[in-house]
């Protein structure tokens, strides 16, 4: 596998904050959407080219997993070329699967390609209980047998048949996994209460570009006419709406003037509505969003819920920005039951922020000051970066391997906006 350099995980960021961010930055392809495209490429024996893939650690790890089951993966800049003439193993290595959450998509991809798979529970951020029941219910409805085999889950499906499936919860990866199996199932599959996230919609579009027949993607009801052999594709990943959101929130928290390009503003309605409610000037055009003139910020109430509601992954950086609003803001986390660990790190920077169950209360405006803090997961890391940029003085941010997993070229992009951030 051709790889790009891996940053050293023991390094940390040193941020000199208290300066408004100013300028323009282009975001990369969506981390999560890109993570779905590599397992999707396993569904065909023909070559697949993926473009606008972010240069992040999670992609490298997933490429390694795909190679372990028979794929050849070449990464050159933001282009990934994959070719999987045949699957050589249906048991991807447990230590690799444990490294990230999206690795569990090997389950659906292998069931879809060869009718069997064995995977241990996946890794991923520690942000709450993350069950897999939706995935298994979907596989079973299509005719697969799923059982425990030691510490792993094993699925066998000599034959898959389309079915009408109701999801108890609109799980994002659950929807993707079941789509992988459904495109190979004979007949019609209807998934009711599917995840409507733009990343899932894009994945379905990629499968269509490979010859699948899918309608309803982007809505809660997706219909698949299965049983076709998929062919290769040349496919471009959508922009990362969470990266866009993070840079906009950094602009707001520092009272800056930031324009983010390569964005799809239509994926950011919930965030942009809240920013306007906070009295931030938000300008939107086809390819970009600008935030500016955020003088006195109003406090707001945010519900973190599935798409198109406010994204749970933007909850932590939003809370960081709300430390600068004049009054008490509230964020109600309704997706994960343990997403609020970042709160302690923000307190170290001087934030007045408290939690009760899934509710976070933030009192502002607060003059934050630099401190030693940690990135506890990808988005908790984004929260402390936003707060550190707003804080006077020096912040030393450790455990930044979490940020490397999700934010490509973070230091370069923030530097382009005038931030003083060094990796040491
Ligand atoms: N859930 C169930 N049953 C299931 C699966 C999930 O009840 O079978 C519940 C979970 O308990 C949780 C909620 O559904 O409360 C959300 O889980 P979901 O399955 O939708 O999340 P995921 O697919 O594991 C993806 C993203 C996450 C993002 C969530 C929600 C990837 C690789 N991960 O995870 O992204 O937070 O959707 O939008 O796509 C991140 O990028 O930082 C990140 C954590």
């Amino acid at each position: 596998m051709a790889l790009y350099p891996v940053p050293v995980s023991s390094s940390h960021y040193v941020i000199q904050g208290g300066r408004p961010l100013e300028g323009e930055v282009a975001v990369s392809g969506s981390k999560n959407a890109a993570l779905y495209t590599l397992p999707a490429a396993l569904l065909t024996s023909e070559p697949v080219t993926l473009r606008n893939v972010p240069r992040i650690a999670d992609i490298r790890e997933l490429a390694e997993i795909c190679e372990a089951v028979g794929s050849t993966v070449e990464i050159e800049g933001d282009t990934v070329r994959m070719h999987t003439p045949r699957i050589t193993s249906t048991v991807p290595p447990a230590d690799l699967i444990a490294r990230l959450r999206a690795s569990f998509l090997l389950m659906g991809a292998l069931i879809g390609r060869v009718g069997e798979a064995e995977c241990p529970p996946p890794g991923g951020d520690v942000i709450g209980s993350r069950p897999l029941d939706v995935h298994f219910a979907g596989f079973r409805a299509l005719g697969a047998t799923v059982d425990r085999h030691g510490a792993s889950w094993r699925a066998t499906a000599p034959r898959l048949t389309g079915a009408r499936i109701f999801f108890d919860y609109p799980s994002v990866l659950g929807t993707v996994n079941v789509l992988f199996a459904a495109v190979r199932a004979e007949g019609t599959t209807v998934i009711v209460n599917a995840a409507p996230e733009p990343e899932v919609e894009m994945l379905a579009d990629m499968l269509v570009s490979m010859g699948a027949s899918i309608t309803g993607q982007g809505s809660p009801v997706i219909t698949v006419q299965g049983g076709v052999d998929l062919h290769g594709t040349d496919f471009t990943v959508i922009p990362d709406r969470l990266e866009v959101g993070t840079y906009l929130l950094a602009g707001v928290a520092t009272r800056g003037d930031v324009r983010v390009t390569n964005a799809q503003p239509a994926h950011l309605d919930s965030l942009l509505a809240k920013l306007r409610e906070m009295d931030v000037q938000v300008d939107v055009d086809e390819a970009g969003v600008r935030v500016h003139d955020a003088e006195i910020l109003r406090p707001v109430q945010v519900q973190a819920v599935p798409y198109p509601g406010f994204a749970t992954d933007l909850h932590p950086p939003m809370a960081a920005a709300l430390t600068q609003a004049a009054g008490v803001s509230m964020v109600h986390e309704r997706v994960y039951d343990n997403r609020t660990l970042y709160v302690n790190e923000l307190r170290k920077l001087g934030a007045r922020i408290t939690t009760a169950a899934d509710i976070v209360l933030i009192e502002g405006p607060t003059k934050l000051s630099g401190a030693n803090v940690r990135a506890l997961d990808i988005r908790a890391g984004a929260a402390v970066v936003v707060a550190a940029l707003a804080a006077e003085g020096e912040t030393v941010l450790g455990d930044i391997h979490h940020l490397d997993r999700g934010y490509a070229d973070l230091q370069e992009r923030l530097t382009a906006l005038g931030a003083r951030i060094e990796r040491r």
Side-chain angles (χ1 to χ4, degrees), residues 196-216:
E197 270 70 2
E199 295 78 16
V200 179
E201 181 180 6
M202 184 216 77
L203 180 273
D205 291 342
M206 174 180 168
L207 295 174
V208 168
S209 78
M210 297 168 75
S213 169
I214 304 175
T215 53

Side-chain angles (χ1 to χ4, degrees), residues 357-368:
D358 304 331
I359 307 268
V360 180
L361 294 176
I362 308 120
E363 204 185 326
T366 306
K367 208 167 161 42
L368 302 174

Side-chain angles (χ1 to χ4, degrees), residues 73 121 136 156 221 225 330 352 354 415:
V73 186
F136 300 140
T156 43
V221 181
Q225 306 291 343
M330 184 202 77
R352 286 174 287 157
T354 53
T415 303

Side-chain angles (χ1 to χ4, degrees), residues 31-32 36 129 131 133-134 169 171-173 313 335-336 379:
K31 165 183 89 83
N32 288 345
Y36 313 155
S129 61
D133 51 290
V134 163
Y169 187 95
S171 163
V172 171
L173 288 177
D313 292 328
V335 176
Y336 292 116
R379 309 304 168 188

Side-chain angles (χ1 to χ4, degrees), residues 137-138 140-143 161-167 178 182 185-193 220-224:
R140 288 187 178 117
L142 296 172
T161 311
R164 189 173 174 92
I165 305 169
F166 173 75
F167 279 178
V178 173
E186 290 296 331
T188 306
T189 295
V190 180
I191 305 174
V192 180
N193 204 22
V221 181
I222 303 179
T223 303
V224 183

Side-chain angles (χ1 to χ4, degrees), residues 279-346:
D279 264 358
V280 177
Q281 287 299 312
V282 180
D283 304 339
V284 175
D285 58 57
E286 265 168 33
V289 184
R290 176 181 170 212
V291 289
H292 58 107
D293 287 323
E295 285 308 320
I296 298 176
L297 297 172
R298 281 179 201 269
V300 290
Q301 307 221 332
V302 177
Q303 302 279 339
V305 289
Y307 190 83
F310 194 94
T312 173
D313 292 328
L314 287 176
H315 153 182
M318 180 65 165
L322 287 172
T323 62
Q324 302 309 303
V328 178
S329 295
M330 184 202 77
V331 182
H332 186 180
E333 172 60 46
R334 292 170 53 192
V335 176
Y336 292 116
D337 52 24
N338 194 21
R339 170 127 256 183
T340 54
L341 293 179
Y342 73 90
V343 160
N344 280 335
E345 302 307 298
L346 292 191

